[in-house]
């Protein structure tokens, strides 16, 4: 209710309003200092890398461009030789070129490899080699590691000209020695942990593997693992989950990611590393 009494704002509020009204605008550097923090900083850094990267690759790499770079006649010869109706989880499923190139391009982007400077990449269980092939197109130095028991994979690796070390990854056995360290070690749809068997790796086997892998990483290197689902629908037991977290991993469903500086050898490190 209006009572005929007027109120004046305190002098402090008046002074503050005057200061805000006539305060000079923030310089660009000041604005950037306020904006570029946390996620905003990471986003800005990624966009800067994109600009630099696109000077080398004017058009962003696409699934279609990658497929066009592959010898279509030779790929079709391989496809006709090994393709089957409804392959399910059998190796011929990897002959669906569009699907698997798109899948592996997404993997490349999740790792930021479409923008990062030239990196050394080791892919464990490299299979058909699509992931490494895309990285080769992007200018990275690549190496695959896998068995040589599937002629279809062998022919695809030869077609894509992927350098590959033939070796089996086994519990409590070191990875083959190579003459370099890697910025990124990846392993997708992992089976070397005795997937879907009664000898599935537990913390002891994984501890040895992680300690060994740490010896193959360059300073600030990353290890990116993606597990297969087991018979019970899980990717790891509660015990293994706790172990991965204790070793410094970030867990995202089937992903076990060791970011730069988080993976260090433990007491299980192989002798001589």
């Amino acid at each position: 209710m209006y009572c005929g009494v007027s109120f004046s704002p305190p002098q402090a509020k008046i002074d503050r309003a005057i200061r805000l009204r006539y305060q000079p605008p923030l310089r660009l550097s000041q604005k950037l200092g306020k904006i570029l923090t946390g996620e905003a900083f990471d986003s800005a850094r990624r966009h800067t890398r994109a600009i630099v990267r696109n000077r080398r690759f004017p058009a962003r790499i696409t699934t279609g461009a990658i497929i066009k770079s592959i010898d279509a006649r030779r790929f079709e010869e391989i496809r006709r030789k090994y393709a089957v109706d409804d392959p399910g989880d059998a190796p011929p499923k990897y002959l669906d070129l569009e699907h698997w190139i798109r899948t592996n391009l997404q993997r490349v982007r999740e790792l930021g490899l479409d923008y990062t400077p030239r990196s050394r990449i080791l892919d464990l269980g490299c299979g058909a080699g699509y992931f490494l092939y895309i990285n080769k197109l992007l200018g990275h130095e690549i190496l695959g590691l896998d068995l040589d028991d599937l002629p279809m994979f062998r022919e695809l690796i030869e077609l894509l000209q992927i350098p590959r070390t033939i070796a089996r990854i086994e519990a409590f056995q070191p990875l083959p020695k190579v003459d370099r360290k890697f910025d990124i070690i990846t392993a997708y749809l992992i089976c070397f942990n005795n997937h879907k068997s009664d000898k599935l790796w537990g913390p002891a086997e994984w501890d040895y593997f992680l300690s060994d892998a740490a010896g193959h990483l360059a300073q600030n290197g990353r290890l990116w693992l993606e597990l297969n689902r087991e018979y019970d629908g899980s990717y790891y037991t509660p015990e293994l989950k706790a172990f991965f977290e204790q070793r410094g991993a970030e867990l995202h469903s089937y992903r076990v990611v060791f970011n730069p500086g988080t993976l260090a050898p433990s007491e299980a490190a192989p002798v001589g590393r």
Side-chain angles (χ1 to χ4, degrees):
M1 180 176 66
Y2 178 66
C3 299
V5 180
S6 63
F7 294 91
S8 299
Q11 187 61 41
K13 289 187 177 181
I14 296 174
D15 293 342
R16 183 174 182 275
I18 292 172
R19 285 197 305 272
L20 289 175
R21 182 174 180 181
Y22 294 103
Q23 185 175 9
L26 287 174
R27 292 176 306 199
L28 178 60
S29 61
Q30 292 174 306
K31 290 181 179 179
L32 290 175
K34 291 178 177 293
I35 294 172
L36 297 183
T37 57
E39 293 182 1
F41 177 78
D42 291 337
S43 176
R45 180 171 56 184
R46 181 173 175 81
H47 280 83
T48 300
R49 287 176 175 173
I51 293 170
V52 173
R53 191 79 183 172
N54 286 336
R55 288 178 181 171
R56 296 171 59 192
F57 302 95
R60 191 181 189 200
I61 193 166
T62 64
T63 298
I66 296 165
I67 291 174
K68 286 181 180 178
S69 73
I70 298 171
D71 187 319
R73 180 188 61 80
R74 290 181 59 195
F75 180 84
E76 181 59 20
E77 290 174 356
I78 296 171
R79 192 195 67 78
R80 284 201 304 266
K81 187 186 297 187
Y82 298 105
V84 297
D85 294 332
D86 191 20
D89 285 333
K93 71 179 181 179
Y94 293 105
L95 294 170
D96 184 349
L97 190 60
E98 182 173 356
H99 171 77
W100 289 103
I101 290 295
R102 184 170 62 250
T103 296
N104 282 280
L105 180 55
Q106 180 61 30
R107 291 169 175 170
V108 167
R109 289 173 174 165
E110 287 168 346
L111 283 161
L113 290 167
D114 49 341
Y115 293 142
T116 55
R118 179 179 172 87
S119 302
R120 289 179 170 178
I121 302 167
L122 172 63
D123 188 32
L124 305 177
C126 60
Y130 298 138
F131 173 74
L132 290 176
Y133 179 70
I134 297 170
N135 280 295
K136 184 174 73 168
L137 292 179
L138 290 167
H140 298 299
E141 182 180 330
I142 60 168
L143 179 65
L145 186 149
D146 211 338
L147 301 175
D148 190 32
D149 54 0
L150 291 175
M152 186 191 82
F153 281 170
R154 184 187 313 129
E155 292 183 36
L156 287 171
I157 288 289
E158 292 173 354
L159 169 62
L160 302 176
Q161 297 182 9
I162 304 299
R164 184 177 66 160
T165 294
I166 306 303
R168 180 185 298 275
I169 300 174
E170 297 184 279
F172 305 115
Q173 296 296 320
L175 296 171
K177 292 184 178 180
V178 293
D179 60 356
R180 77 207 81 164
K181 292 184 181 290
F182 298 92
D183 302 297
I184 299 175
I185 298 177
T186 57
Y188 294 97
L189 298 174
I190 291 172
C191 291
F192 60 72
N193 63 333
N194 294 331
H195 168 59
K196 288 189 174 180
S197 80
D198 59 357
K199 297 181 180 180
L200 188 66
W201 284 13
E205 291 86 352
W206 275 109
D207 194 40
Y208 185 99
F209 170 83
L210 294 176
S211 297
D212 182 44
H216 290 270
L217 284 173
Q219 186 176 11
N220 294 322
R222 290 184 288 167
L223 178 64
W224 183 287
L225 308 173
E226 294 196 0
L227 298 171
N228 265 309
R229 195 187 296 272
E230 299 302 327
Y231 283 124
D232 63 0
S234 69
Y235 297 104
Y236 33 70
T237 63
E239 179 188 22
L240 192 54
K241 177 179 183 292
F243 163 76
F244 282 140
E245 290 175 335
Q246 185 271 329
R247 285 298 306 262
E250 288 187 7
L251 302 184
H252 307 278
S253 182
Y254 52 86
R255 289 180 181 152
V256 181
V257 178
F258 291 87
N259 288 311
T262 60
L263 183 60
S266 74
E267 294 180 358
V271 176
R273 284 272 178 229

PDB file of all heavy atoms in Angstrom, residues 35-60:
ATOM      1  N   ILE A  35      37.191 -16.943 -19.850  1.00  0.00           N
ATOM      2  CA  ILE A  35      36.463 -17.982 -20.564  1.00  0.00           C
ATOM      3  C   ILE A  35      37.235 -19.286 -20.615  1.00  0.00           C
ATOM      4  O   ILE A  35      36.687 -20.367 -20.417  1.00  0.00           O
ATOM      5  CB  ILE A  35      36.128 -17.510 -21.994  1.00  0.00           C
ATOM      6  CG1 ILE A  35      35.144 -16.337 -21.933  1.00  0.00           C
ATOM      7  CG2 ILE A  35      35.537 -18.649 -22.823  1.00  0.00           C
ATOM      8  CD1 ILE A  35      34.915 -15.683 -23.272  1.00  0.00           C
ATOM      9  N   LEU A  36      38.538 -19.192 -20.884  1.00  0.00           N
ATOM     10  CA  LEU A  36      39.317 -20.387 -21.163  1.00  0.00           C
ATOM     11  C   LEU A  36      39.731 -21.106 -19.885  1.00  0.00           C
ATOM     12  O   LEU A  36      40.880 -21.087 -19.480  1.00  0.00           O
ATOM     13  CB  LEU A  36      40.545 -20.042 -22.002  1.00  0.00           C
ATOM     14  CG  LEU A  36      40.243 -19.479 -23.388  1.00  0.00           C
ATOM     15  CD1 LEU A  36      41.522 -19.244 -24.151  1.00  0.00           C
ATOM     16  CD2 LEU A  36      39.347 -20.432 -24.159  1.00  0.00           C
ATOM     17  N   THR A  37      38.780 -21.723 -19.237  1.00  0.00           N
ATOM     18  CA  THR A  37      39.043 -22.524 -18.050  1.00  0.00           C
ATOM     19  C   THR A  37      38.291 -23.836 -18.184  1.00  0.00           C
ATOM     20  O   THR A  37      37.255 -23.912 -18.823  1.00  0.00           O
ATOM     21  CB  THR A  37      38.561 -21.807 -16.778  1.00  0.00           C
ATOM     22  OG1 THR A  37      37.162 -21.526 -16.912  1.00  0.00           O
ATOM     23  CG2 THR A  37      39.320 -20.513 -16.569  1.00  0.00           C
ATOM     24  N   GLY A  38      38.819 -24.889 -17.581  1.00  0.00           N
ATOM     25  CA  GLY A  38      38.132 -26.175 -17.548  1.00  0.00           C
ATOM     26  C   GLY A  38      37.788 -26.697 -18.930  1.00  0.00           C
ATOM     27  O   GLY A  38      38.610 -26.740 -19.826  1.00  0.00           O
ATOM     28  N   GLU A  39      36.505 -27.063 -19.101  1.00  0.00           N
ATOM     29  CA  GLU A  39      36.071 -27.637 -20.357  1.00  0.00           C
ATOM     30  C   GLU A  39      36.189 -26.640 -21.498  1.00  0.00           C
ATOM     31  O   GLU A  39      36.458 -27.017 -22.639  1.00  0.00           O
ATOM     32  CB  GLU A  39      34.628 -28.127 -20.237  1.00  0.00           C
ATOM     33  CG  GLU A  39      34.469 -29.304 -19.289  1.00  0.00           C
ATOM     34  CD  GLU A  39      33.041 -29.784 -19.229  1.00  0.00           C
ATOM     35  OE1 GLU A  39      32.199 -29.191 -19.944  1.00  0.00           O
ATOM     36  OE2 GLU A  39      32.759 -30.725 -18.486  1.00  0.00           O
ATOM     37  N   ALA A  40      35.967 -25.346 -21.199  1.00  0.00           N
ATOM     38  CA  ALA A  40      36.081 -24.337 -22.245  1.00  0.00           C
ATOM     39  C   ALA A  40      37.504 -24.295 -22.793  1.00  0.00           C
ATOM     40  O   ALA A  40      37.718 -24.144 -23.999  1.00  0.00           O
ATOM     41  CB  ALA A  40      35.677 -22.967 -21.698  1.00  0.00           C
ATOM     42  N   PHE A  41      38.481 -24.451 -21.911  1.00  0.00           N
ATOM     43  CA  PHE A  41      39.871 -24.453 -22.360  1.00  0.00           C
ATOM     44  C   PHE A  41      40.142 -25.658 -23.251  1.00  0.00           C
ATOM     45  O   PHE A  41      40.764 -25.533 -24.299  1.00  0.00           O
ATOM     46  CB  PHE A  41      40.813 -24.471 -21.162  1.00  0.00           C
ATOM     47  CG  PHE A  41      42.263 -24.554 -21.549  1.00  0.00           C
ATOM     48  CD1 PHE A  41      42.939 -23.434 -21.997  1.00  0.00           C
ATOM     49  CD2 PHE A  41      42.924 -25.764 -21.498  1.00  0.00           C
ATOM     50  CE1 PHE A  41      44.270 -23.511 -22.364  1.00  0.00           C
ATOM     51  CE2 PHE A  41      44.254 -25.859 -21.879  1.00  0.00           C
ATOM     52  CZ  PHE A  41      44.925 -24.719 -22.307  1.00  0.00           C
ATOM     53  N   ASP A  42      39.653 -26.830 -22.839  1.00  0.00           N
ATOM     54  CA  ASP A  42      39.860 -28.021 -23.656  1.00  0.00           C
ATOM     55  C   ASP A  42      39.210 -27.872 -25.021  1.00  0.00           C
ATOM     56  O   ASP A  42      39.771 -28.267 -26.045  1.00  0.00           O
ATOM     57  CB  ASP A  42      39.284 -29.252 -22.946  1.00  0.00           C
ATOM     58  CG  ASP A  42      40.083 -29.617 -21.711  1.00  0.00           C
ATOM     59  OD1 ASP A  42      41.272 -29.225 -21.651  1.00  0.00           O
ATOM     60  OD2 ASP A  42      39.523 -30.268 -20.818  1.00  0.00           O
ATOM     61  N   SER A  43      38.005 -27.278 -25.044  1.00  0.00           N
ATOM     62  CA  SER A  43      37.321 -27.083 -26.311  1.00  0.00           C
ATOM     63  C   SER A  43      38.092 -26.134 -27.211  1.00  0.00           C
ATOM     64  O   SER A  43      38.247 -26.373 -28.414  1.00  0.00           O
ATOM     65  CB  SER A  43      35.908 -26.534 -26.065  1.00  0.00           C
ATOM     66  OG  SER A  43      35.269 -26.252 -27.282  1.00  0.00           O
ATOM     67  N   ALA A  44      38.605 -25.042 -26.619  1.00  0.00           N
ATOM     68  CA  ALA A  44      39.359 -24.070 -27.420  1.00  0.00           C
ATOM     69  C   ALA A  44      40.633 -24.700 -27.961  1.00  0.00           C
ATOM     70  O   ALA A  44      41.015 -24.465 -29.113  1.00  0.00           O
ATOM     71  CB  ALA A  44      39.701 -22.859 -26.560  1.00  0.00           C
ATOM     72  N   ARG A  45      41.292 -25.506 -27.146  1.00  0.00           N
ATOM     73  CA  ARG A  45      42.521 -26.162 -27.593  1.00  0.00           C
ATOM     74  C   ARG A  45      42.228 -27.111 -28.743  1.00  0.00           C
ATOM     75  O   ARG A  45      42.976 -27.173 -29.719  1.00  0.00           O
ATOM     76  CB  ARG A  45      43.151 -26.918 -26.434  1.00  0.00           C
ATOM     77  CG  ARG A  45      44.459 -27.635 -26.804  1.00  0.00           C
ATOM     78  CD  ARG A  45      45.146 -28.180 -25.578  1.00  0.00           C
ATOM     79  NE  ARG A  45      44.269 -29.067 -24.821  1.00  0.00           N
ATOM     80  CZ  ARG A  45      44.601 -29.621 -23.663  1.00  0.00           C
ATOM     81  NH1 ARG A  45      45.758 -29.336 -23.101  1.00  0.00           N
ATOM     82  NH2 ARG A  45      43.771 -30.437 -23.048  1.00  0.00           N
ATOM     83  N   ARG A  46      41.111 -27.829 -28.653  1.00  0.00           N
ATOM     84  CA  ARG A  46      40.743 -28.750 -29.720  1.00  0.00           C
ATOM     85  C   ARG A  46      40.462 -28.003 -31.020  1.00  0.00           C
ATOM     86  O   ARG A  46      40.878 -28.426 -32.095  1.00  0.00           O
ATOM     87  CB  ARG A  46      39.519 -29.575 -29.297  1.00  0.00           C
ATOM     88  CG  ARG A  46      39.087 -30.591 -30.355  1.00  0.00           C
ATOM     89  CD  ARG A  46      37.986 -31.487 -29.805  1.00  0.00           C
ATOM     90  NE  ARG A  46      37.480 -32.378 -30.839  1.00  0.00           N
ATOM     91  CZ  ARG A  46      38.055 -33.500 -31.201  1.00  0.00           C
ATOM     92  NH1 ARG A  46      39.179 -33.878 -30.633  1.00  0.00           N
ATOM     93  NH2 ARG A  46      37.531 -34.267 -32.142  1.00  0.00           N
ATOM     94  N   HIS A  47      39.757 -26.864 -30.920  1.00  0.00           N
ATOM     95  CA  HIS A  47      39.464 -26.091 -32.124  1.00  0.00           C
ATOM     96  C   HIS A  47      40.730 -25.503 -32.733  1.00  0.00           C
ATOM     97  O   HIS A  47      40.861 -25.409 -33.953  1.00  0.00           O
ATOM     98  CB  HIS A  47      38.451 -24.986 -31.804  1.00  0.00           C
ATOM     99  CG  HIS A  47      37.036 -25.477 -31.737  1.00  0.00           C
ATOM    100  ND1 HIS A  47      36.517 -26.055 -30.601  1.00  0.00           N
ATOM    101  CD2 HIS A  47      36.059 -25.511 -32.665  1.00  0.00           C
ATOM    102  CE1 HIS A  47      35.264 -26.403 -30.816  1.00  0.00           C
ATOM    103  NE2 HIS A  47      34.958 -26.105 -32.069  1.00  0.00           N
ATOM    104  N   THR A  48      41.672 -25.124 -31.883  1.00  0.00           N
ATOM    105  CA  THR A  48      42.952 -24.626 -32.408  1.00  0.00           C
ATOM    106  C   THR A  48      43.674 -25.728 -33.162  1.00  0.00           C
ATOM    107  O   THR A  48      44.208 -25.500 -34.247  1.00  0.00           O
ATOM    108  CB  THR A  48      43.834 -24.125 -31.247  1.00  0.00           C
ATOM    109  OG1 THR A  48      43.152 -23.064 -30.575  1.00  0.00           O
ATOM    110  CG2 THR A  48      45.168 -23.602 -31.778  1.00  0.00           C
ATOM    111  N   ARG A  49      43.670 -26.929 -32.584  1.00  0.00           N
ATOM    112  CA  ARG A  49      44.300 -28.052 -33.273  1.00  0.00           C
ATOM    113  C   ARG A  49      43.588 -28.325 -34.593  1.00  0.00           C
ATOM    114  O   ARG A  49      44.220 -28.685 -35.590  1.00  0.00           O
ATOM    115  CB  ARG A  49      44.262 -29.298 -32.391  1.00  0.00           C
ATOM    116  CG  ARG A  49      45.234 -29.252 -31.221  1.00  0.00           C
ATOM    117  CD  ARG A  49      45.073 -30.468 -30.346  1.00  0.00           C
ATOM    118  NE  ARG A  49      46.064 -30.503 -29.281  1.00  0.00           N
ATOM    119  CZ  ARG A  49      46.059 -31.390 -28.301  1.00  0.00           C
ATOM    120  NH1 ARG A  49      45.125 -32.307 -28.244  1.00  0.00           N
ATOM    121  NH2 ARG A  49      46.992 -31.368 -27.365  1.00  0.00           N
ATOM    122  N   ALA A  50      42.264 -28.168 -34.589  1.00  0.00           N
ATOM    123  CA  ALA A  50      41.510 -28.404 -35.821  1.00  0.00           C
ATOM    124  C   ALA A  50      41.947 -27.446 -36.918  1.00  0.00           C
ATOM    125  O   ALA A  50      42.109 -27.835 -38.076  1.00  0.00           O
ATOM    126  CB  ALA A  50      40.009 -28.244 -35.546  1.00  0.00           C
ATOM    127  N   ILE A  51      42.143 -26.183 -36.560  1.00  0.00           N
ATOM    128  CA  ILE A  51      42.559 -25.189 -37.550  1.00  0.00           C
ATOM    129  C   ILE A  51      43.925 -25.548 -38.112  1.00  0.00           C
ATOM    130  O   ILE A  51      44.149 -25.541 -39.322  1.00  0.00           O
ATOM    131  CB  ILE A  51      42.582 -23.789 -36.915  1.00  0.00           C
ATOM    132  CG1 ILE A  51      41.151 -23.350 -36.560  1.00  0.00           C
ATOM    133  CG2 ILE A  51      43.225 -22.769 -37.868  1.00  0.00           C
ATOM    134  CD1 ILE A  51      41.098 -22.100 -35.718  1.00  0.00           C
ATOM    135  N   VAL A  52      44.854 -25.891 -37.207  1.00  0.00           N
ATOM    136  CA  VAL A  52      46.202 -26.259 -37.647  1.00  0.00           C
ATOM    137  C   VAL A  52      46.158 -27.518 -38.499  1.00  0.00           C
ATOM    138  O   VAL A  52      46.793 -27.608 -39.550  1.00  0.00           O
ATOM    139  CB  VAL A  52      47.125 -26.470 -36.430  1.00  0.00           C
ATOM    140  CG1 VAL A  52      48.479 -27.010 -36.870  1.00  0.00           C
ATOM    141  CG2 VAL A  52      47.296 -25.149 -35.677  1.00  0.00           C
ATOM    142  N   ARG A  53      45.373 -28.511 -38.037  1.00  0.00           N
ATOM    143  CA  ARG A  53      45.293 -29.780 -38.757  1.00  0.00           C
ATOM    144  C   ARG A  53      44.687 -29.586 -40.141  1.00  0.00           C
ATOM    145  O   ARG A  53      45.139 -30.173 -41.124  1.00  0.00           O
ATOM    146  CB  ARG A  53      44.444 -30.763 -37.944  1.00  0.00           C
ATOM    147  CG  ARG A  53      44.516 -32.198 -38.471  1.00  0.00           C
ATOM    148  CD  ARG A  53      45.784 -32.854 -38.008  1.00  0.00           C
ATOM    149  NE  ARG A  53      45.913 -34.188 -38.554  1.00  0.00           N
ATOM    150  CZ  ARG A  53      46.991 -34.928 -38.445  1.00  0.00           C
ATOM    151  NH1 ARG A  53      48.047 -34.467 -37.813  1.00  0.00           N
ATOM    152  NH2 ARG A  53      47.055 -36.125 -38.971  1.00  0.00           N
ATOM    153  N   ASN A  54      43.656 -28.750 -40.233  1.00  0.00           N
ATOM    154  CA  ASN A  54      42.972 -28.564 -41.496  1.00  0.00           C
ATOM    155  C   ASN A  54      43.812 -27.817 -42.514  1.00  0.00           C
ATOM    156  O   ASN A  54      43.477 -27.783 -43.697  1.00  0.00           O
ATOM    157  CB  ASN A  54      41.631 -27.856 -41.278  1.00  0.00           C
ATOM    158  CG  ASN A  54      40.605 -28.793 -40.675  1.00  0.00           C
ATOM    159  OD1 ASN A  54      40.714 -30.000 -40.816  1.00  0.00           O
ATOM    160  ND2 ASN A  54      39.618 -28.245 -39.996  1.00  0.00           N
ATOM    161  N   ARG A  55      44.894 -27.181 -42.072  1.00  0.00           N
ATOM    162  CA  ARG A  55      45.824 -26.608 -43.047  1.00  0.00           C
ATOM    163  C   ARG A  55      46.517 -27.724 -43.811  1.00  0.00           C
ATOM    164  O   ARG A  55      46.927 -27.561 -44.945  1.00  0.00           O
ATOM    165  CB  ARG A  55      46.855 -25.733 -42.327  1.00  0.00           C
ATOM    166  CG  ARG A  55      46.253 -24.419 -41.804  1.00  0.00           C
ATOM    167  CD  ARG A  55      47.286 -23.602 -41.054  1.00  0.00           C
ATOM    168  NE  ARG A  55      46.703 -22.371 -40.540  1.00  0.00           N
ATOM    169  CZ  ARG A  55      47.331 -21.551 -39.705  1.00  0.00           C
ATOM    170  NH1 ARG A  55      48.560 -21.839 -39.299  1.00  0.00           N
ATOM    171  NH2 ARG A  55      46.746 -20.458 -39.272  1.00  0.00           N
ATOM    172  N   ARG A  56      46.678 -28.898 -43.134  1.00  0.00           N
ATOM    173  CA  ARG A  56      47.279 -30.050 -43.796  1.00  0.00           C
ATOM    174  C   ARG A  56      46.216 -30.870 -44.512  1.00  0.00           C
ATOM    175  O   ARG A  56      46.468 -31.460 -45.547  1.00  0.00           O
ATOM    176  CB  ARG A  56      47.992 -30.926 -42.763  1.00  0.00           C
ATOM    177  CG  ARG A  56      49.170 -30.245 -42.072  1.00  0.00           C
ATOM    178  CD  ARG A  56      49.685 -31.076 -40.922  1.00  0.00           C
ATOM    179  NE  ARG A  56      50.112 -32.397 -41.381  1.00  0.00           N
ATOM    180  CZ  ARG A  56      50.392 -33.403 -40.553  1.00  0.00           C
ATOM    181  NH1 ARG A  56      50.265 -33.239 -39.253  1.00  0.00           N
ATOM    182  NH2 ARG A  56      50.789 -34.569 -41.027  1.00  0.00           N
ATOM    183  N   PHE A  57      45.016 -30.934 -43.931  1.00  0.00           N
ATOM    184  CA  PHE A  57      43.916 -31.689 -44.509  1.00  0.00           C
ATOM    185  C   PHE A  57      42.727 -30.746 -44.670  1.00  0.00           C
ATOM    186  O   PHE A  57      41.889 -30.636 -43.780  1.00  0.00           O
ATOM    187  CB  PHE A  57      43.541 -32.868 -43.594  1.00  0.00           C
ATOM    188  CG  PHE A  57      44.687 -33.805 -43.350  1.00  0.00           C
ATOM    189  CD1 PHE A  57      45.487 -33.668 -42.229  1.00  0.00           C
ATOM    190  CD2 PHE A  57      44.982 -34.809 -44.257  1.00  0.00           C
ATOM    191  CE1 PHE A  57      46.549 -34.533 -42.005  1.00  0.00           C
ATOM    192  CE2 PHE A  57      46.039 -35.675 -44.039  1.00  0.00           C
ATOM    193  CZ  PHE A  57      46.829 -35.525 -42.909  1.00  0.00           C
ATOM    194  N   PRO A  58      42.634 -30.036 -45.818  1.00  0.00           N
ATOM    195  CA  PRO A  58      41.616 -28.997 -45.993  1.00  0.00           C
ATOM    196  C   PRO A  58      40.196 -29.499 -45.751  1.00  0.00           C
ATOM    197  O   PRO A  58      39.377 -28.794 -45.193  1.00  0.00           O
ATOM    198  CB  PRO A  58      41.814 -28.568 -47.448  1.00  0.00           C
ATOM    199  CG  PRO A  58      43.226 -28.936 -47.758  1.00  0.00           C
ATOM    200  CD  PRO A  58      43.509 -30.174 -46.974  1.00  0.00           C
ATOM    201  N   ALA A  59      39.885 -30.727 -46.169  1.00  0.00           N
ATOM    202  CA  ALA A  59      38.548 -31.282 -45.931  1.00  0.00           C
ATOM    203  C   ALA A  59      38.641 -32.316 -44.822  1.00  0.00           C
ATOM    204  O   ALA A  59      39.519 -33.178 -44.852  1.00  0.00           O
ATOM    205  CB  ALA A  59      38.007 -31.921 -47.206  1.00  0.00           C
ATOM    206  N   ARG A  60      37.754 -32.209 -43.842  1.00  0.00           N
ATOM    207  CA  ARG A  60      37.802 -33.170 -42.740  1.00  0.00           C
ATOM    208  C   ARG A  60      37.616 -34.579 -43.274  1.00  0.00           C
ATOM    209  O   ARG A  60      36.754 -34.830 -44.111  1.00  0.00           O
ATOM    210  CB  ARG A  60      36.710 -32.835 -41.717  1.00  0.00           C
ATOM    211  CG  ARG A  60      36.889 -33.623 -40.424  1.00  0.00           C
ATOM    212  CD  ARG A  60      35.792 -33.301 -39.442  1.00  0.00           C
ATOM    213  NE  ARG A  60      36.098 -33.900 -38.142  1.00  0.00           N
ATOM    214  CZ  ARG A  60      35.197 -34.128 -37.205  1.00  0.00           C
ATOM    215  NH1 ARG A  60      33.943 -33.802 -37.415  1.00  0.00           N
ATOM    216  NH2 ARG A  60      35.533 -34.655 -36.054  1.00  0.00           N
TER     217      ARG A  60
END
